[in-house]
Amino acid sequence: MKNIRNFCIIAHIDHGKSTLADRLLEFTNTITDREKQDQLLDSMDLERERGITIKSHAIQMDYENNGEDYILNLIDTPGHVDFSYEVSRSIAACEGALLIVDAAQSIQAQTISNLYLALENDLEIIPILNKIDLPSANPEEVTDDIVDLLGCDPDEIIHASGKTGQGVGDILKAIIERVPAPKGDVNEPLQALIFDSVYNSYRGVETYFRILNGEIKKGQRIKFMATNNEYFADEVGTLKLNQEPKKSVKAGDVGYLITGIKTASEVKVGDTITDADNPTQNNIDGFEDVKPMVFAGIYPVDTDDYEELRSSMEKLQLNDASLVFIPESSAALGFGFRCGFLGMLHLEIIQERLEREFDMTVITTVPNVSYHAYTHKHPDKTILVNNPSDLPEPSTLNRVEEPFIKASIITKSDYVGSVMSLCIEKRGELTNQTYLTTERVELNFDMPLSEIVFDFYDRLKTVSKGYASFDYHPIGLRTSKLVRVDILLNGQPVDALSALLHTDNAYSIGKKICEKLRKLIPRQQFDIPIQAAIGAKIISRETIKALRKDVTAKCYGGDISRKRKLLEKQKKGKKRMRQVGNVEIPQEAFMAVLKLND
């Protein structure tokens, strides 16, 4: 065990984690020249196309140092704030972390956030200054920033470049010298932490674990402590580029387990695996349940595909433990699911993965957050409002509380004004402003979560010309003046388009939604009124004009009454059509509400 090292890589999005991981794999000869490719650990097409890591990946490397053989288990992590749950799981399975900072961009908000996660888990931090070969790199200044942040010695910071491979040998040396070997006892009862799971359609659920005590052997009877289910370990092994079956995996190591489980819900990430005959008494703690931040409805385009969508979501949940969903139904869209996501990027990725991996075309409703409502009758009884339609009638409503977050934004001092005005427009309150250097400022705001759900991140990047970085964490609920704005099409409310909005913004947003829908809904043979309403009060209206068919074209000359008769006849037909006709709403209309400022 003294020659095992478990470590992860943490950094802000786009600071070069995946490229550096590729260099480490090449340097330790874990991959052959034939297997080489960029972003090797990012196995999804989606990750390669967007250049982001969505899922954490584990891989084992063998490395010889001073005549001794070492086993290095690397767990790569995502950098985007929406996938911080993946990061927390990877950190729980490690003893050390490589903190990567881009020499051109310096420390960003997510760097600090991931660093605190690692420090809470008592990980040994190895600071690395990456991309020092860039012409715009500023190693001296960024080194000072890292020293200020970590309080370490400037000599401890390793200068590296994922592109050229500079400094990779120093990194491996530092991992062996600085990261502590795992503690644990092979003779104790088996105690292993599940930190990930993947669904394989041929072999069932593959479980990835890190053993703290004991060992796991092929054919052994094991037990999952959260569900109390027992299984046989059909295959155990370690994770190289491909899985390598072994007879047993011992304490301190990371490996995979196949038990032939076919149902997704039986494997819980963060659960403890133990021996069925000689179980451990202690569950491994330190795993919190995921807290979804954004809720949206996902519905199949064809209602008959509901069951197929359910099984696709369950398989997807195995690969992404932070996805939460419950069944719900909507008058406009039929049966579907109410899903909880960690953020808007997470929602976008799930929608895309459903289409690519499971061939499911889905309709997504307007994302919102979860509120607490209280009525006059029961002022102490909380009503959880995940969907605008759950909000009680305005006459019975006592108060509504909405979730607030503490946002940390790091930007260049030139853009402070525009970032502040954006945050104040989104109902944010400035709580702190710190100059990290003369050029870079950290701003802290208390903001309602519902305001950052839609387009906040995109607009922040726009006003700061891409320089601002953003991170947030929840700080509880506060009372707010909220109203439900309903959208009526042809006099019928469309529940999938309702939104809970702050009283100050309700009128302007209601008007914008109506204008947007007028452009997106195709014209019919009859007039379609689009209305925004608060309760029974209409606050905005737009009309989609009917397609005209000139019925009087064949009447030339003669008396005007002939034309009038035809037009009256057409008018009656249009009226009847409007009563029975239904309005088809295209998919982009549901998402249009998010892009109101375009």
Side-chain angles (χ1 to χ4, degrees):
M1 259 176 70
K2 68 178 189 358
N3 285 6
I4 296 177
R5 298 287 182 272
N6 298 318
F7 68 98
C8 60
I9 299 182
I10 53 177
H12 187 77
I13 189 167
D14 213 17
H15 277 202
K17 293 179 296 303
S18 301
T19 316
L20 205 62
D22 291 350
R23 295 297 88 78
L24 290 170
L25 296 176
E26 284 168 20
F27 199 88
T28 54
N29 298 324
T30 307
I31 50 171
T32 59
D33 284 347
R34 221 178 86 200
E35 294 164 331
K36 267 184 200 170
Q37 64 181 65
D38 287 345
Q39 286 177 266
L40 187 80
L41 294 180
D42 294 349
S43 48
M44 276 184 251
D45 297 342
L46 204 55
E47 294 181 311
R48 294 175 178 286
E49 280 169 30
R50 291 179 171 234
I52 56 175
T53 304
I54 293 168
K55 192 141 181 44
S56 54
H57 296 268
I59 191 162
Q60 191 175 82
M61 303 178 275
D62 297 321
Y63 183 61
E64 189 186 316
N65 184 47
N66 297 339
E68 281 195 68
D69 289 335
Y70 287 89
I71 293 173
L72 310 178
N73 289 311
L74 155 67
I75 302 175
D76 186 23
T77 63
H80 196 281
V81 58
D82 280 12
F83 302 111
S84 52
Y85 185 64
E86 291 275 333
V87 182
S88 73
R89 294 187 344 222
S90 305
I91 283 174
C94 296
E95 279 87 26
L98 305 181
L99 178 76
I100 295 182
V101 179
D102 186 329
Q105 294 182 38
S106 189
I107 291 164
Q108 305 279 313
Q110 198 57 35
T111 319
I112 297 174
S113 153
N114 286 343
L115 170 69
Y116 286 153
L117 263 178
L119 289 174
E120 275 168 30
N121 284 282
D122 291 335
L123 264 61
E124 179 63 40
I125 309 287
I126 299 174
I128 293 167
L129 193 58
N130 195 20
K131 303 194 187 180
I132 57 166
D133 57 314
L134 285 180
S136 58
N138 195 345
E140 290 81 17
E141 196 178 303
V142 181
T143 302
D144 294 344
D145 291 351
I146 298 174
V147 170
D148 289 347
L149 179 69
L150 287 175
C152 63
D153 210 280
D155 306 337
E156 289 175 27
I157 299 168
I158 300 168
H159 288 222
S161 163
K163 199 184 204 172
T164 61
Q166 179 186 342
V168 175
D170 299 340
I171 292 173
L172 288 164
K173 238 191 215 89
I175 291 167
I176 288 165
E177 287 166 9
R178 296 195 216 166
V179 175
K183 299 178 179 71
D185 189 347
V186 184
N187 305 316
E188 292 269 318
L190 171 65
Q191 191 188 24
L193 167 78
I194 300 177
F195 68 85
D196 207 352
S197 59
V198 179
Y199 187 79
N200 181 322
S201 42
Y202 301 106
R203 311 172 77 183
V205 179
E206 299 173 357
T207 311
Y208 295 163
F209 59 81
R210 151 80 200 274
I211 302 188
L212 300 189
N213 290 311
E215 70 175 313
I216 191 165
K217 298 190 183 93
K218 186 180 175 177
Q220 179 180 353
R221 243 178 79 230
I222 52 155
K223 177 176 161 188
F224 286 12
M225 291 182 78
T227 55
N228 266 336
N229 292 345
E230 295 187 5
Y231 308 97
F232 282 99
D234 298 339
E235 186 181 310
V236 294
T238 51
L239 297 150
K240 287 284 175 53
L241 190 56
N242 300 312
Q243 296 168 342
E244 289 200 352
K246 297 268 174 82
K247 290 211 170 104
S248 76
V249 181
K250 296 188 168 144
D253 218 340
V254 173
Y256 73 94
L257 161 77
I258 293 172
T259 51
I261 300 172
K262 286 283 184 280
T263 41
S265 53
E266 288 180 38
V267 179
K268 298 254 188 298
V269 169
D271 191 4
T272 306
I273 307 175
T274 189
D275 186 13
D277 304 323
N278 178 18
T280 176
Q281 298 309 309
N282 309 326
N283 269 5
I284 301 167
D285 55 333
F287 244 99
E288 70 238 40
D289 268 345
V290 56
K291 294 187 198 75
M293 293 286 194
V294 177
F295 295 87
I298 286 187
Y299 294 85
V301 172
D302 186 351
T303 344
D304 300 345
D305 296 340
Y306 175 70
E307 282 305 322
E308 204 179 318
L309 178 62
R310 179 196 288 275
S311 73
S312 305
M313 299 276 278
E314 280 174 356
K315 286 173 189 164
L316 200 55
Q317 194 176 29
L318 261 188
N319 286 346
D320 185 349
S322 46
L323 172 67
V324 188
F325 62 90
I326 51 167
E328 76 162 1
S329 65
S330 144
L333 300 170
F335 289 104
F337 295 96
R338 186 94 200 140
C339 307
F341 305 96
L342 296 177
M344 285 301 287
L345 178 72
H346 190 206
L347 161 69
E348 214 175 298
I349 297 290
I350 293 289
Q351 195 178 339
E352 191 121 346
R353 284 182 72 184
L354 280 171
E355 284 182 18
R356 287 185 186 207
E357 294 170 30
F358 302 100
D359 254 353
M360 294 293 315
T361 315
V362 292
I363 291 175
T364 317
T365 63
V366 181
N368 60 1
V369 300
S370 131
Y371 301 91
H372 287 185
Y374 300 89
T375 55
H376 289 302
K377 204 171 180 183
H378 305 289
D380 302 328
K381 190 179 165 197
T382 306
I383 301 166
L384 194 65
V385 180
N386 279 337
N387 200 338
S389 53
D390 303 340
L391 191 75
E393 280 303 305
S395 54
T396 62
L397 199 59
N398 179 351
R399 67 184 192 282
V400 182
E401 292 180 351
E402 67 173 327
F404 267 67
I405 54 153
K406 181 166 279 307
S408 151
I409 297 168
I410 295 180
T411 183
K412 279 189 147 184
S413 45
D414 310 357
Y415 305 115
V416 170
S418 47
V419 169
M420 270 192 190
S421 55
L422 169 67
C423 293
I424 289 162
E425 179 198 327
K426 296 281 186 187
R427 298 194 284 135
E429 290 172 18
L430 182 68
T431 54
N432 196 4
Q433 179 177 354
T434 333
Y435 274 82
L436 303 171
T437 66
T438 50
E439 282 295 301
R440 291 170 63 248
V441 191
E442 181 178 5
L443 302 168
N444 293 108
F445 284 91
D446 286 356
M447 296 172 78
L449 178 62
S450 56
E451 294 287 346
I452 67 153
V453 162
F454 294 151
D455 55 354
F456 179 77
Y457 194 64
D458 297 344
R459 286 187 60 199
L460 178 67
K461 286 284 179 206
T462 311
V463 298
S464 66
K465 299 197 169 56
Y467 276 107
S469 65
F470 172 64
D471 184 50
Y472 63 87
H473 60 267
I475 53 170
L477 296 150
R478 295 184 188 178
T479 307
S480 282
K481 282 198 252 167
L482 297 171
V483 287
R484 183 173 86 221
V485 176
D486 292 314
I487 302 295
L488 310 170
L489 279 185
N490 205 4
Q492 299 298 314
V494 182
D495 57 353
L497 285 171
S498 336
L500 281 177
L501 302 169
H502 194 265
T503 322
D504 300 348
N505 306 341
Y507 284 85
S508 60
I509 292 181
K511 188 168 187 288
K512 279 183 184 170
I513 294 175
C514 291
E515 285 169 0
K516 199 86 178 182
L517 288 175
R518 192 190 75 206
K519 292 175 191 161
L520 287 168
I521 293 174
R523 289 167 72 186
Q524 313 273 349
Q525 295 286 348
F526 52 92
D527 279 4
I528 307 169
I530 304 170
Q531 295 161 311
I534 299 174
K537 184 182 177 189
I538 303 291
I539 57 170
S540 173
R541 171 182 169 135
E542 295 283 334
T543 308
I544 299 172
K545 285 291 175 200
L547 288 167
R548 280 204 54 201
K549 181 182 175 193
D550 194 355
V551 284
T552 59
K554 59 180 184 284
C555 298
Y556 48 91
D559 191 4
I560 184 80
S561 57
R562 288 173 63 204
K563 285 186 181 178
R564 199 163 283 148
K565 192 173 161 189
L566 276 171
L567 287 168
E568 285 299 322
K569 192 173 161 191
Q570 185 190 32
K571 202 173 179 183
K572 276 183 192 152
K574 296 245 180 198
K575 193 174 173 188
R576 194 164 54 247
M577 221 192 290
R578 187 172 148 186
Q579 281 162 357
V580 296
N582 65 341
V583 184
E584 289 287 314
I585 308 173
Q587 154 73 11
E588 54 266 26
F590 290 107
M591 296 310 278
V593 188
L594 310 184
K595 302 189 176 76
L596 289 178
N597 288 320
D598 291 3

